[in-house]
Amino acid sequence: MKKLFTLLLCSLILVFAGCGKTETKNPPPAPDTEDKADTAHLTAEDNEFKMSVSKEIRSLTAMNIGTKDGYDVVSILVAIENVSKDNVPISPNFVTLKTLDGAEYKYSQELTQKITSKSAFKEVVLPPDYRGGGLLLFELKKDSIPETLTYKDEANHEMTIQFPTKTKTSV
């Protein structure tokens, strides 16, 4: 019985000694931030506004939206931030999308209201330090590739953003 007790005690000591052993873990690798944009948005600014636009233009053609023959529908999220000390009007009518073939397009008010509803870019007066904007839908000729988006209002604010990527299809 004494031998069994000694053997059991030695076994327990070995088990507990093994549990106390710590392993050195390597820290997780740092994220690779080289050659990557900070967000999914592109930005431009002038002295009173900052504009951010979704980097990936979404094609809504797969959603079977009623559009003109020979045209595709694309959506772009546009946000305008008033960084001035004054109230400044903004409007989706100040936005123009230009394609690689040189054609310029204004947003489709009817489709934008019908499809995006509350998230549509609406004409408002932005107080200082506020942000406005929303989704805009454009009807582009089939196979047109968006190149730039320009915001130009009657107060001579002008900001242009160039798109670096091709259109992504969204379901």
Side-chain angles (χ1 to χ4, degrees):
M1 183 76 166
K2 210 176 190 182
K3 285 185 182 183
L4 181 61
F5 178 74
T6 306
L7 186 58
L8 185 59
L9 184 61
C10 289
S11 297
L12 286 173
I13 290 173
L14 288 175
V15 167
F16 284 119
C19 290
K21 186 173 150 186
T22 59
E23 286 186 34
T24 308
K25 291 186 178 181
N26 293 332
D32 180 20
T33 57
E34 193 175 313
D35 297 330
K36 289 188 181 177
D38 56 334
T39 67
H41 294 87
L42 302 169
T43 59
E45 57 186 277
D46 78 353
N47 59 346
E48 293 186 336
F49 284 139
K50 286 183 182 177
M51 176 172 70
S52 63
V53 173
S54 51
K55 185 184 294 183
E56 303 293 348
I57 298 173
R58 300 287 179 182
S59 170
L60 303 179
T61 306
M63 291 180 68
N64 229 0
I65 297 169
T67 187
K68 297 182 253 180
D69 253 0
Y71 284 78
D72 289 329
V73 177
V74 297
S75 73
I76 301 175
L77 179 62
V78 179
I80 306 291
E81 182 181 352
N82 180 4
V83 294
S84 73
K85 303 272 186 233
D86 302 316
N87 292 337
V88 184
I90 64 169
S91 172
N93 295 317
F94 301 148
V95 177
T96 304
L97 182 65
K98 185 177 176 184
T99 57
L100 285 175
D101 61 7
E104 293 185 352
Y105 298 89
K106 290 293 191 176
Y107 84 108
S108 170
Q109 184 176 7
E110 181 184 334
L111 279 176
T112 299
Q113 287 299 329
K114 181 174 144 185
I115 305 228
T116 63
S117 185
K118 291 181 180 181
S119 61
F121 188 147
K122 292 177 181 63
E123 188 171 323
V124 296
V125 175
L126 277 183
D129 299 321
Y130 271 77
R131 187 177 175 159
L135 283 172
L136 293 177
L137 299 182
F138 295 85
E139 290 182 280
L140 308 179
K141 286 183 185 173
K142 278 201 182 297
D143 301 323
S144 292
I145 299 172
E147 179 182 31
T148 61
L149 185 120
T150 301
Y151 183 90
K152 184 176 181 179
D153 64 16
E154 290 129 5
N156 292 324
H157 299 112
E158 185 172 349
M159 299 171 284
T160 298
I161 289 178
Q162 181 143 6
F163 294 103
T165 61
K166 294 184 178 181
T167 304
K168 280 197 168 183
T169 301
S170 179
V171 178

